[in-house]
Amino acid sequence: MMKKIDIHLHVALEDCARIYNHVKFSGCAAMKEHLSQLGIVHAVIMSLEIQDDAMISNHAAAEIARRFPETYSWFCNIPTGVKEPYSYLKRMKEQGAKGLGEWVTHLPLTHPYMEEIMGACEDLELPILFHISPEPENQYGIIDEPGLFLLEEALKKFPRLMMIGHSQPFWYEISKNRTENEKERQGYPEGPVEAGGRLIDLMDHYPNLHGDLSANSGGNAIMRDPQFGLDFMEKYQDRLFFGTDMANISMEFPLGRWLDKKAETGKISKEAYSKICAKNACKRILKETMRNV
C-alpha cells in the first residue's frame, strides 16, 4: 500500500459543532490521527466560502498548516463579492495557499466576476478545485449546464489555468448520458459507462483539465465500471488526484482501499498508481518532493 496525499480535505481548527452543508467538522489534531490510520501522510485543506467562522476560514486553514506543516497544506477560498480578486488571491498565496478551493461561488462560469477570478488564478499560478452545482436553485457550487459547455469556454479562455473538477455533475459526464435530468446529475449512476462521455472529450482536448477522485462522486465514477475506470486512470494518469472529501473522523471513502487492491493484483500499473496516489500532488500542487511517500 502506497502512502497517499489527499488533495481534498475539510477540517476545522478545533472540533466544530457548527454544521455547514449538513456536515460537522473534526479538529485538525483528531483528523491528523485519522489520516494516519488511513495511510494518508499529507492532506490539502479546502477552505470554505464563508469566512466569518474562525474554525473553517482561510485564517484557520493557514493556522492548521502552520501547526502541522508535515501533515497539512491548504487552498484558500474567496468570499462572493470581493472587489479586487487579484489582490485578495495574491495575499492568500503570500500566506501559503497552494490554490483556490473548494470553489463553490454560485454563479455561471462565464460571469465576468468568475472570469476575473480565473484570470487572477491563472496569472498567480494557483490551481482551482471547483464544485459544480447540480441545479440552479442549489446555492452550493459553480453553475454549469449538462454537457459542461461553460467549463469548456473557461478551459479555452484560460489555457494556463489548472482546473480540477469535482462533484456529481462533473463526474456524471464521464458517460454518454441519455438524460439531462437535474436529479440524475446529482446522483451516483450505476452500471457500465457508455462510450462518448462529454468529460472524456474535454479531457482529450484540454490539457489544463484535471480530475479530483474524492468522495462518492469521483470514487463512483471510477469504480462503477471497473475496467473502464482502470483504463481511464491509465490514460489520464498525469492529471488525476487521489482525495477523500472527509470532514470528520467518522468518514472513510472506499476508493483508497480499492486502488490498493488493484495495485496489489496488478490491475493498475505501478506508475499510474503512484502518480494518482501521491506523485501528481507533490509535483503539480505542493510543488515539492515529500520523502514519506
Side-chain angles (χ1 to χ4, degrees), residues 26-80:
S26 292
C28 57
M31 182 63 79
K32 183 177 184 293
E33 178 63 27
H34 186 53
L35 293 171
S36 179
Q37 292 171 358
L38 296 176
I40 296 170
V41 296
H42 198 85
V44 182
I45 301 167
M46 297 290 105
S47 183
L48 298 176
E49 188 179 29
I50 295 174
Q51 293 295 309
D52 60 356
D53 190 318
M55 292 293 185
I56 54 178
S57 63
N58 288 334
H59 171 77
E63 175 60 19
I64 293 167
R66 186 194 68 79
R67 290 185 189 181
F68 301 106
E70 75 287 355
T71 302
Y72 297 113
S73 297
W74 64 289
F75 274 24
C76 68
N77 220 311
I78 184 166
T80 301

Side-chain angles (χ1 to χ4, degrees), residues 222 225-234 258 262 267-268:
I222 296 301
D225 184 343
Q227 190 56 54
F228 181 94
L230 291 165
D231 292 342
F232 179 85
M233 289 190 293
E234 292 289 347
W258 189 88
K262 296 304 179 185
K267 301 294 185 181
I268 184 173

